[in-house]
Amino acid sequence: MKPRVQPTSEEVTFLSDEIIVSKTDLKGRITYANATFSKICGYSRAELMNAPHSIIRHPDMPRCVFKLLWDQLGEEREIFAYVKNMTRNGAFYWVFAHVTPSFDNNGSVIGYHSSRRLPDRGVVREVIEPLYGALLQTEASYASPKDGLAASFAQLVNVVKSKAVSYDELIFSL
């Protein structure tokens, strides 16, 4: 069994003109990773092939953010989100992700494409980290992971509603 990566407080960053690109199949297994993705996350491109995209999931990410992501992709809609990822050695890096379904010639979804850029650190520090921290706290306050996810998702929806804008409008207003 592969040893579990322990998160560290080391942050990895990348240049503002670099774009991390990956493609997955419908189950989230990586089918393409560009050299930038490999360089930042610390896994070789060969190691990333067919690995679940969750290989880079950081435990500081609220599950409700991924629920929102998968819900929107399930509706064949693109989504933009701030995501904290984890490298092979446990360091972290923030991205501003754009994830969209990929379609075949018949209009059927055949996978997903994600392009990730360097986020505005001020937005991450002042808005996203406190929000995600509160969502994680909600998730952890329930004995049942399912109930925690439902509560944090409702909390996220309420945050968006309180701003009287759509999720997309809120993200792009940051």
Side-chain angles (χ1 to χ4, degrees):
M1 179 177 197
K2 184 179 173 184
R4 185 181 168 108
V5 177
Q6 292 299 312
T8 71
S9 59
E10 177 190 356
E11 182 172 8
V12 173
T13 189
F14 52 101
L15 300 174
S16 61
D17 63 349
E18 291 182 297
I19 300 175
I20 298 170
V21 179
S22 60
K23 295 180 183 178
T24 70
D25 63 14
L26 293 173
K27 296 195 179 279
R29 289 184 300 255
I30 298 169
T31 58
Y32 172 80
N34 73 350
T36 302
F37 182 23
S38 175
K39 180 184 78 173
I40 301 300
C41 75
Y43 292 98
S44 72
R45 292 168 79 181
E47 290 174 313
L48 290 168
M49 291 300 103
N50 295 312
H53 212 281
S54 60
I55 193 172
I56 58 167
R57 182 173 177 180
H58 196 286
D60 287 352
M61 280 299 300
R63 292 183 307 129
C64 66
V65 174
F66 292 110
K67 175 179 173 20
L68 177 66
L69 182 144
W70 284 109
D71 286 355
Q72 290 213 191
L73 292 175
E75 295 171 0
E76 300 184 358
R77 297 172 44 206
E78 66 184 350
I79 185 168
F80 293 84
Y82 289 87
V83 179
K84 185 177 186 178
N85 290 318
M86 187 163 63
T87 69
R88 177 186 204 126
N89 68 1
F92 70 90
Y93 61 99
W94 280 97
V95 297
F96 184 60
H98 174 217
V99 186
T100 184
S102 299
F103 299 90
D104 67 12
N105 290 338
N106 297 318
S108 298
V109 176
I110 57 171
Y112 305 102
H113 180 167
S114 176
S115 298
R116 300 171 308 273
R117 297 176 183 274
L118 186 67
D120 180 323
R121 288 296 296 149
V123 169
V124 169
R125 185 178 48 255
E126 295 165 21
V127 179
I128 301 301
E129 286 180 329
L131 173 62
Y132 286 7
L135 294 170
L136 273 174
Q137 190 171 20
T138 296
E139 288 178 2
S141 69
Y142 285 79
S144 160
K146 182 179 177 183
D147 291 344
L149 175 59
S152 68
F153 188 75
Q155 183 179 359
L156 178 59
V157 168
N158 286 334
V159 167
V160 173
K161 281 184 182 175
S162 73
K163 305 296 182 187
V165 294
S166 70
Y167 170 81
D168 293 336
E169 291 169 326
L170 176 61
I171 288 297
F172 285 109
S173 71
L174 299 175

